[in-house]
Amino acid sequence: METTRAHFIGGSPVAEGERFPVHDPVTGRVVGEVCEADREIVDRAVTAAREALPAWAALPVAERAGWTRRLADAIEERFEDLVTAEVADTGKPVAQARELDIPRGAANFRAFAEIAAQRPESAFHLPGTLSYTVRRPLGVVAVIVPWNLPFLLMTWKLGPALVAGNTVVVKPSEHTPGSAAVLAEIAAGIGLPPGVLNVVNGFGGTGRLLAEHPGVDAVTFTGSSRTGSAIMKSVADRVKPISFELGGKNAGLIFSDTDLDAAVEGAVRSVFTNGGQVCLCTERLYVERRVFEPFALRLAKRAQELVTTGLMPMISAEHRDKVLSSYVAAAEEGAEILAGGGVPGFGDERDGGYFVEPTVLTGLPEGSRVNREEIFGPVCHIAPFDTEAEAIALANDSEYGLAATVWTRDLSRAHRVAQSIEAGLVWVNTWFLRDLRTPFGGVKLSGVGREGGVHSLDFYSEPTTITMKLEQDDG
Ligand code: NAD
């Protein structure tokens, strides 16, 4: 069934603007169309958010937390509709949408309701003075998000933004408008005050109009480092607060004392989950020389098995071509291809989709394009190391610094190495295990700021410090 994805402004759907098609990544077929927001439509959405702001910001935090809890409950009621929308847009396995993407959407609204409602306030007392802070929302926040985990990443920002008293205009990715459209229906269905949550659809140009709009007070963005840099420039004149979660070229370090079975399975997850289209995915694996060969062989075998047991397509023909071009570049630069390297043939309608083979490469110099640039596909390069210091240096030799994994049974080494890695997140003997209260984000090209727990609430509000002189009682 073909769908038309409208914008959502001031509590109502708005099916205006040019139309563009949405493709099913599994078959390449057009499955729907999306309305594209131009300057005037973006302006209407920002105006709706501004009008809703004073009343929303004035609500006690417990009442806003009540609304985000109701959103979470309603997400669970519309669970299967959200799964269907997310799977249709991304081609991801239904089981993954059921187990990860949609439950995390509900959890994002619930977690920030709890954290905000229980957050302690502080006052500072010196002889003769009393200082305390009040936190105010930023105002209207632009929420610009990518296509890889559309619902999870959007709600990760909406939960804290709304509970902190902001109103929002969301710009989902042009590839994945579905789950934002269902969320808009959910918001209307529970009677969320009109204008508190607005959605505009479109390409990067719409995102740019939104970020630059003078009625937008702050921008929270998840996406590529290049787009982050473009947004930074476009909001520089107004010095708008920004929170950026950007790309990665994440390293995994496998020490020879590790449980090799667990490390291989951990690497399979961290390299190939979601077709490698997760910012946290590992693209550079460094393995202690003693276990390099058995590890590489086993990882390559598991990668080949994935072709029959669990492949997810790339999001678009364009992205598939980009991933394939990195496979070609690897071969040209002299890589040994241990698994994959091309396009799988299914002999059915999936041959029209955007699949690439899970790929394991080795033998490339550290400075090669494939070892430097984020590919964002089901691929990793694997290289040996001899010492702990060398492993740390290799992991840190990157312009990015989002996440890393360390596989070892040596407790001291685990902490020593984890603390030496230049990244916002380090997992030891696991990957993608998250506590929503912890800070999340990256260093270097991987981002600006941290979200998660109180760090999100800090970004989505600004403190005013009030200091009062206490008069002495002379009597
Ligand atoms: P992208 O940067 O191409 O697009 C992200 C969003 O920005 C989309 O909605 C897009 O329409 C919009 N956009 C594009 N140009 C814009 C502009 N000039 N102004 C405003 N908005 C603009 O990223 P993508 O291809 O959708 O997503 C993949 C990237 O996202 C990868 O680099 C990945 O690492 C990164 N990512 C990071 C995280 C994280 O938490 N660090 C999470 C997921 C994805």
Side-chain angles (χ1 to χ4, degrees), residues 232-388:
M232 211 172 201
K233 287 180 194 131
S234 69
V235 303
D237 280 354
R238 290 179 184 266
V239 205
K240 293 184 186 180
I242 50 168
S243 174
F244 285 176
E245 295 176 351
L246 308 177
K249 188 72 189 173
N250 309 308
L253 304 183
I254 319 283
F255 289 90
S256 62
D257 64 32
T258 192
D259 171 347
L260 212 59
D261 289 335
V264 170
E265 285 316 305
V268 169
R269 276 188 69 227
S270 78
V271 175
F272 300 117
T273 294
N274 214 53
Q277 302 166 114
V278 181
C279 55
L280 306 167
C281 276
T282 306
E283 293 193 1
R284 299 180 296 137
L285 271 170
Y286 300 105
V287 184
E288 197 167 344
R289 198 176 299 276
R290 220 174 311 160
V291 292
F292 178 79
E293 220 172 287
F295 183 91
L297 290 175
R298 283 159 76 171
L299 183 66
K301 185 165 173 288
R302 293 286 287 110
Q304 281 153 358
E305 286 167 5
L306 288 177
V307 177
T308 44
T309 58
L311 263 201
M312 176 171 158
M314 302 297 92
I315 190 68
S316 63
E318 189 192 7
H319 187 53
R320 177 204 48 204
D321 293 347
K322 181 179 163 256
V323 174
L324 283 176
S325 81
S326 73
Y327 291 4
V328 171
E332 282 171 3
E333 287 177 311
E336 187 185 339
I337 298 170
L338 300 178
V343 175
F346 298 103
D348 57 31
E349 60 172 7
R350 287 175 294 171
D351 287 340
Y354 311 137
F355 291 90
V356 298
E357 286 177 330
T359 294
V360 180
L361 307 165
T362 190
L364 286 178
E366 277 307 299
S368 64
R369 180 185 141 195
V370 167
N371 270 327
R372 308 301 301 174
E373 293 176 10
E374 181 187 50
I375 301 171
F376 219 56
V379 53
C380 68
H381 181 268
I382 164 166
F385 70 82
D386 291 300
T387 64
E388 184 181 302

Side-chain angles (χ1 to χ4, degrees), residues 145-148 171 174 207 222-224 227 245-247 279 374 376:
V145 280
W147 46 261
N148 60 328
K171 212 293 283 169
E174 53 273 33
T222 300
S224 64
T227 304
E245 295 176 351
L246 308 177
C279 55
E374 181 187 50
F376 219 56

